[in-house]
């Protein structure tokens, strides 16, 4: 490596609610010489950060503008409704869209759920962010529908949530620029998030398998019987047969040698 070359590194962007710690730990174990830098970005900012090469890859939410970006879905999150602890829906474990028909449901500008018709009654204004909407729920202004991870991220003691059925679900994906300048490192991270082992042929160069060593005692037992067993069991059998054979011959000889009566 010349003095002008920089050592390799990997920059990973991630949106609120996504926890990359497990994957970062695996990265540090497999590639200890390649530092991984994390950068938190909003869901709306993530596509432009990747296009502008502000990160090599990003954990994002779908749908998003995928122009000039590649993406692979990783998992889908449960959708929940965030409500005050004294709300009626807390009496059940899950609710439907129809149960929210008479409630004001906040729809923040950074919402990533793909709605055709948002549930409930619309608020006079849309909150700027999901975090702002959570504060309004606590103030009794309305309810909020979000992916489960965001309900946990912005948890408050005076709020709770319930599973909401019949609504869109948030999909988390790994995205990167289509003209990525470090494809090998992106491929490494793809392998990690997909659970590939360290010796996977699609990941790093697999460790060559070690030849199996032959056990001398096991091989000897199969190839040549032990001398003690040969001299004992085998010889005993042979001796027994010879003894019986010899006895028979003696009897036969005795019959042939018996003189006939005149």
């Amino acid at each position: 490596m010349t003095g002008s070359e920089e050592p390799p590194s990997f920059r990973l962007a991630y949106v609120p609610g996504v926890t990359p710690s497990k994957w970062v730990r695996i990265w540090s174990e497999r590639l200890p010489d390649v530092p991984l830098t994390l950068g938190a970005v909003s869901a709306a900012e993530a596509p432009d950060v990747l296009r502008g090469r502000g990160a090599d890859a990003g954990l994002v939410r779908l749908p998003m503008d995928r122009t000039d970006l590649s993406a692979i879905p990783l998992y889908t999150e449960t959708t929940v409704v965030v409500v005050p602890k004294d709300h009626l829906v807390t009496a059940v474990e899950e609710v439907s869209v129809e149960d929210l028909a008479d409630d004001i449901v906040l729809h923040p500008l950074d919402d990533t759920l793909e709605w055709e018709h948002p549930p409930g009654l619309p608020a006079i204004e849309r909150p700027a962010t999901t975090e702002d909407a959570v504060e309004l729920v606590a103030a009794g202004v309305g309810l909020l529908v979000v992916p489960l991870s965001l309900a946990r991220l912005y948890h408050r003691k005076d709020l709770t949530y319930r599973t909401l059925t019949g609504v869109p679900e948030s999909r988390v994906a790994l995205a990167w620029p289509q003209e990525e300048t470090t494809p090998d490192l992106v491929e490494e991270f793809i392998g990690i998030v997909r659970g590939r082992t360290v010796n996977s042929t699609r990941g790093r160069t697999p460790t060559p398998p070690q030849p199996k060593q032959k056990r001398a005692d096991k091989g000897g037992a199969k190839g040549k019987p032990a001398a003690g067993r040969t001299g004992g069991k085998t010889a005993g059998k042979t001796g027994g047969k010879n003894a019986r054979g010899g006895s028979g011959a003696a009897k036969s000889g005795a019959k042939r040698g018996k003189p006939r009566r005149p």
Side-chain angles (χ1 to χ4, degrees):
M1 183 175 69
T2 64
S4 60
E5 293 179 348
E6 294 184 1
S9 63
F10 189 72
R11 300 164 300 166
L12 179 67
Y14 67 99
V15 298
V18 176
T19 306
S21 56
K22 174 183 176 181
W23 299 322
V24 172
R25 175 180 56 79
I26 296 175
W27 178 281
S28 64
E29 293 172 353
R30 295 187 184 181
L31 294 92
D33 298 329
V34 182
L36 187 153
T37 304
L38 290 173
V41 297
S42 69
E45 294 172 337
D48 289 337
V49 168
L50 294 174
R51 292 191 194 96
R53 300 303 189 272
D56 298 303
L59 296 168
V60 302
R61 292 189 183 277
L62 301 178
M64 70 171 189
D65 181 4
R66 294 172 59 173
T67 304
D68 300 326
L69 298 177
S70 299
I72 53 172
L74 300 179
Y75 59 89
T76 301
E77 283 196 69
T78 300
T79 302
V80 300
V81 55
V82 179
V83 300
K85 281 193 171 180
D86 58 355
H87 196 278
L88 291 176
V89 302
T90 59
V92 295
E93 291 299 320
E94 64 179 32
V95 295
S96 65
V97 173
E98 290 75 17
D99 295 325
L100 307 181
D102 297 329
D103 288 287
I104 293 176
V105 178
L106 303 168
H107 189 201
L109 295 175
D110 65 353
D111 183 15
T112 59
L113 294 173
E114 196 171 16
W115 296 107
E116 184 176 354
H117 300 291
L121 303 173
I124 297 176
E125 293 184 13
R126 294 182 62 182
T129 66
T130 298
E131 189 172 7
D132 293 337
V134 170
E135 296 294 328
L136 293 175
V137 175
V141 174
L143 310 182
L144 175 64
V145 177
V146 291
L148 176 58
S149 65
L150 291 181
R152 291 174 173 169
L153 177 64
Y154 301 120
H155 173 70
R156 290 174 51 113
K157 292 182 179 180
D158 53 348
L159 300 179
T160 188
Y161 54 84
R162 291 293 184 270
T163 300
L164 185 61
T165 61
V167 293
E169 295 177 317
S170 176
R171 292 174 294 155
V172 174
L174 177 66
W176 64 94
Q178 290 180 352
E179 297 179 358
E180 179 55 61
T181 57
T182 56
D184 291 341
L185 295 181
V186 172
E187 183 64 30
E188 289 285 357
F189 198 77
I190 292 173
I192 289 173
V193 298
R194 284 188 162 178
R196 296 178 195 155
T197 63
V198 67
N199 288 331
S200 170
T201 56
R202 296 189 64 183
R204 293 178 63 82
T205 303
T207 302
Q210 299 298 320
K212 295 182 179 179
Q213 296 182 353
K214 295 182 179 180
R215 293 177 56 183
D217 55 344
K218 187 175 180 180
K222 288 184 177 181
K224 184 178 180 180
R229 296 181 64 183
T230 304
K233 188 174 181 180
T234 307
K237 289 182 177 180
T238 306
K241 291 180 179 179
N242 289 342
R244 290 192 296 270
S247 176
K251 292 179 180 179
S252 176
K255 291 181 180 180
R256 290 197 296 270
K258 186 176 180 180
R260 297 181 181 178
R261 292 181 181 181

